[in-house]
């Protein structure tokens, strides 16, 4: 893979010293061109500083200026100790259908690295962040990494029977696999809430971000067909790397837009 | 209004000095009780420190401890120079239907205070944050305040014909009123994207938050029935005060959960 990148870049390696454009900008433009044509695809490592220096016969300073420009433009991102990579456009999840978080990633060609943070059964009272009266004593916490960087922390609360899943499967099975294939439950409905809220101290540490940084939070409550809550999942997602999408059909109800002034006044609280 | 609060609180003003519970906790519990029974409703001002001191015959320190406890619990919130108010549960927007942002607030009994920040027509190229090729030269920026606090900044990009709306109506009409009643357009579809991203320096100032704080962002692209884009709106919302909600019907497609291991391997990028 690295050889083919080198070859692609090398084929355009001749810079024009008489061009008005500074050398660093010529290098940046060539890399940007490789990215826009897809020869350097999202998630791929770009040539190292040393490789770019020898390809173009320029100083390290010039190469660094080129990479800094691409970084400022959001076209590449440096991962400490690993190199500089072509940025990935934000991953997304289509809200028009019920879909697991991992499946949403996989449908975009991304296989997240999964790490089991916790798989426990609370004897007494369940998690204090959980609504009262929910009987979901099994707690499953996982971290997902994409491109080697922490991407999301998932906390799932499941029925007692999910304890039999065991640690190994708890790491790999998606939540809906546990509910459907393992527990034989049939999902009747899921209620989704999306908000922006500070990560807890624990989650911030797990995501390698500053404590109390606001992140994207999705909470999902799934029910079986008879209406029993069989799952509550909370997902904390790194900002700017994920979007939720939905298409809504028009026309807008005219009733809502044509609100009479009297109604607005009556509702006024101040 | 203030008189009735005082009376309600005064009727329970007798504290028990022999009770094991510290006095500040007794005061906090009484206020919490007023809140939970709805006598102190969301958005209402609670009695001032001085009022609570004279009601209960306690020191300012005790009263402050009581209010601090309620603040930590998220039951009240202080607005500088205005007093302490009963917290409002996060407002929400139902994503199952096409709905204007203001209408979503009004449906929850909240009438936001609206302020026109900008109403301009760009002569040449439209906003640089806008996708290429969109012919939406009219830029409308508004700030919404709820309970006297900045809540959201809305940036709408509209067709040239919207210029005739004029400043006065631009402040008050909701975007869909401009499109439907004023321009006579019929909305065929809206595409919504929800994400978490840093507020721009300008928006952060307008929302009275620190620059680069991550906020909840909704972007909406509306099309007429023939498919022409007739609006792009971006809403920056203060974190923790707004949620998007959606109910999704099950069952989950078994095909997506029953992904064979080979597929997962094939998609693997690393």
């Amino acid at each position: 893979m690295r050889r083919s990148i080198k070859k692609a870049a090398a084929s355009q390696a001749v810079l024009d010293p008489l061009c008005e454009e500074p050398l660093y900008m010529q290098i940046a433009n060539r890399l940007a061109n490789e990215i826009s044509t897809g020869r350097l695809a999202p998630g791929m490592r770009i040539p190292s500083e040393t490789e770019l220096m020898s390809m173009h016969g320029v100083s390290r300073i010039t190469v660094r200026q080129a990479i800094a420009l691409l970084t400022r433009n959001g076209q590449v991102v440096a991962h400490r100790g690993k190199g500089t990579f072509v940025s990935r456009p934000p991953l997304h999840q289509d809200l028009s259908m019920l879909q697991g978080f991992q499946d949403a990633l996989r449908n975009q060609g991304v296989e997240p690295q999964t790490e089991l943070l916790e798989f426990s059964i609370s004897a007494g009272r369940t998690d204090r962040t959980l609504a009262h009266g929910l009987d979901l004593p099994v707690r499953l916490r996982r971290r997902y990494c994409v491109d080697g960087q922490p991407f999301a922390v998932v906390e799932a609360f499941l029925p007692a029977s999910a304890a039999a899943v065991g640690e190994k499967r708890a790491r790999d099975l998606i939540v809906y696999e546990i509910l459907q294939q393992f527990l034989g439950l049939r999902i009747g409905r899921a209620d989704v809430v999306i908000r922006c809220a500070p990560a807890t101290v624990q989650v911030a540490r797990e995501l390698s971000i500053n404590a109390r940084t606001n992140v994207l939070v999705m909470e999902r409550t799934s029910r079986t067909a008879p209406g029993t809550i069989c799952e509550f999942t909370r997902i904390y997602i790194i900002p700017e790397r994920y979007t939720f999408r939905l298409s809504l059909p028009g026309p807008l109800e005219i009733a809502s837009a044509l609100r009479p002034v009297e109604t607005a006044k009556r509702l006024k609280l101040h």
Side-chain angles (χ1 to χ4, degrees), chain A:
Chain A
M1 186 65 95
R2 261 170 67 180
R3 211 167 298 164
S4 70
I5 300 173
K6 242 185 184 166
K7 205 178 145 200
S11 68
Q12 312 204 339
V14 187
L15 301 180
D16 180 356
L18 300 177
C19 174
E20 271 191 24
E21 207 171 44
L23 289 177
Y24 83 89
M25 216 180 268
Q26 292 185 46
I27 297 173
N29 285 341
R30 277 158 200 214
L31 284 167
N33 185 49
E34 307 268 307
I35 292 168
S36 66
T37 57
R39 264 183 300 205
L40 281 173
M44 266 170 79
R45 196 177 69 77
I46 68 167
S48 69
E49 285 181 11
T50 315
E51 286 164 346
L52 288 168
M53 282 162 66
S54 79
M55 267 186 229
H56 297 294
V58 295
S59 70
R60 190 173 297 272
I61 292 173
T62 304
V63 164
R64 284 196 178 159
Q65 283 179 306
I67 294 173
L69 179 62
L70 293 172
T71 306
R72 274 201 305 279
N73 290 345
Q75 291 164 291
V76 301
V77 60
H79 294 170
R80 212 174 295 168
K82 291 182 184 165
T84 301
F85 294 79
V86 179
S87 300
R88 214 182 258 292
L91 296 166
H92 64 269
Q93 182 164 344
D94 183 356
L95 287 173
S96 67
M97 56 181 171
L98 190 51
Q99 195 180 29
F101 181 68
Q102 275 163 288
D103 276 337
L105 297 179
R106 288 190 183 119
N107 288 346
Q108 291 162 81
V110 172
E111 180 67 20
Q113 291 93 55
T114 310
E115 189 185 337
L116 186 65
L117 301 170
E118 184 183 339
F119 181 65
S120 63
I121 298 96
S122 83
R125 133 177 209 284
T126 48
D127 192 90
R128 69 174 182 83
T129 65
L130 215 56
H132 284 293
L134 284 188
D135 188 20
L136 302 171
V138 172
R139 186 179 154 116
L140 169 57
R141 299 185 77 252
R142 286 197 284 227
R143 173 165 63 182
Y144 297 115
C145 290
V146 170
D147 298 338
Q149 300 290 304
F151 185 80
V153 166
V154 173
E155 299 178 340
F157 300 88
L158 303 168
S161 49
V165 164
E167 282 223 359
K168 201 197 156 325
R169 277 177 298 208
R171 191 182 77 94
D172 293 323
L173 288 179
I174 72 168
V175 169
Y176 279 134
E177 281 173 331
I178 295 175
L179 294 173
Q180 297 191 139
Q181 274 99 68
F182 198 85
L183 303 184
L185 295 172
R186 192 183 151 87
I187 308 303
R189 197 182 97 206
D191 294 303
V192 168
V193 173
I194 298 165
R195 55 197 180 93
C196 170
T200 62
V201 172
Q202 183 186 19
V203 169
R205 200 173 46 233
E206 290 160 349
L207 289 175
S208 305
I209 57 177
N210 290 330
R212 311 300 293 165
T213 297
N214 293 320
V215 296
L216 187 62
V217 179
M218 188 191 93
E219 289 173 337
R220 185 183 64 201
T221 308
S222 301
R223 290 164 199 271
T224 58
T228 310
I229 292 178
C230 61
E231 173 235 18
F232 174 77
T233 291
R234 188 184 292 123
I235 312 183
Y236 298 90
I237 310 167
I238 287 276
E240 297 187 81
R241 298 203 55 193
Y242 204 71
T243 65
F244 291 97
R245 298 189 188 176
L246 186 64
S247 262
L248 291 164
L252 193 66
E253 285 248 353
I254 294 298
S256 95
L258 260 184
R259 147 196 56 85
V261 177
E262 289 67 34
T263 315
K265 274 199 188 132
R266 193 155 39 79
L267 288 172
K268 216 170 159 124
L269 291 181
H270 304 275

